Amino acid sequence: VRWLGGYTQSWSNVACNQSLALTEGLVAHWSFEEANDATTADASHHANTGGIHGASLLAQASPAGGTHVLSFDGADDYVSVPDSASLDVDSQLTVSAWVYLESADSSPVIVSKQDAYTLEVVNGKVLFGVQTNGAGWFGLTSVSAVPLAQWVHVAGAALTGDPTDLVIYIDGVRDAYLAQGATAGLVPNDNALTLGARQGTSRFLHGMLDDVRVSEKLFSDSQISRSADSDQDSLADGWE
C-alpha cells in the first residue's frame, strides 16, 4: 500500500513502522554543532562533510534541541557538500530542515542537489522537486506560505514508481500532495549538494538553518510530525 497518497498506516516495501528511528536510511545530517565556521560535519556514517562559505555558526538554543544554528546573510553565504554515491538516492527520498527566514524575496534554496532534488522557497511557499528517470522533473508547491522571522520545520518526500508521489510537510503537518506518472527511480548526477543557495551562485538564503537531513527512506505522517516537535530530546530517538 502506497502511503503518500493513501493516508494509511498499512504500508509495504517502505521502511516506516512505528519502531523506526529517523536515522534509518539517513545519508546526510548536518546539525551545525561544530566549533568552527570552516566545515560542518555529517552526523550520518557517510562522512558528507560540508564546506562553509561565509555562513556563521551562532551559539543559541536550536529548534532541534542543540546549542548552535547556522546563519546566512542572503548575499553570498552557503554550504557546499561534494558529490558522493550516498547522496545519489534511488527510489525513496526525504529531505527536511528547520528554517528561519528573514526574507523570502530571493526565492531562497534550503537544500539543492542541482538537477537531482531540491527543497526551496519560491514566492513565499515551499517547493520540493525531483529529477526522475523516464519522466523528467516533478515539482510540488505547498499550499501554505512559510512565515518569516520564526522557526519552521519543512520536509519534502518522494516515492517513485507508478504513480510517483510527492508530499510536502510544514511544521509536521501534511500540506500538499501530488501523484504523477510512472517513473523508474531518481536520476543520480555528479553535482555538489548545497545548503542556502543554488550551486553557491544565486538564490541565497537570508536567515538560519538547523538540523538538515537527507534520507533514502520514507516516514509516516506521525514520524514527520514528531521530527517537527522542538521539545523532543533527539530526533534519533526510537518510536513507540
Side-chain angles (χ1 to χ4, degrees), residues 4-159:
L4 286 177
Y7 290 83
T8 178
Q9 297 298 318
S10 178
W11 315 321
S12 62
N13 301 320
V14 178
C16 45
N17 61 69
Q18 288 301 311
S19 63
L20 181 67
L22 281 188
T23 52
E24 179 77 14
L26 203 61
V27 299
H29 176 202
W30 301 283
S31 61
F32 309 124
E33 296 298 321
E34 282 78 33
N36 66 80
D37 290 338
T39 60
T40 181
D42 174 14
S44 81
H45 68 274
H46 294 286
N48 288 307
T49 300
I52 299 176
H53 301 269
S56 302
L57 284 171
L58 299 182
Q60 65 177 57
S62 82
T67 58
H68 292 80
V69 300
L70 194 62
S71 176
F72 300 77
D73 66 3
D76 56 5
D77 294 354
Y78 66 99
V79 174
S80 180
V81 183
D83 177 53
S84 71
S86 62
L87 294 175
D88 289 328
V89 297
D90 183 14
S91 60
Q92 303 174 27
L93 170 69
T94 302
V95 182
S96 66
W98 282 97
V99 58
Y100 184 108
L101 292 180
E102 296 285 359
S103 169
D105 293 343
S106 65
S107 294
V109 166
I110 300 169
V111 180
S112 175
K113 194 172 193 296
Q114 185 75 15
D115 299 324
Y117 48 86
T118 187
L119 184 67
E120 53 196 63
V121 178
V122 177
N123 296 323
K125 296 183 177 181
V126 178
L127 172 66
F128 176 62
V130 295
Q131 184 73 26
T132 66
N133 188 0
W137 185 259
F138 286 167
L140 174 64
T141 301
S142 67
V143 174
S144 304
V146 179
L148 300 180
Q150 69 181 64
W151 283 106
V152 181
H153 188 268
V154 297
L159 174 62

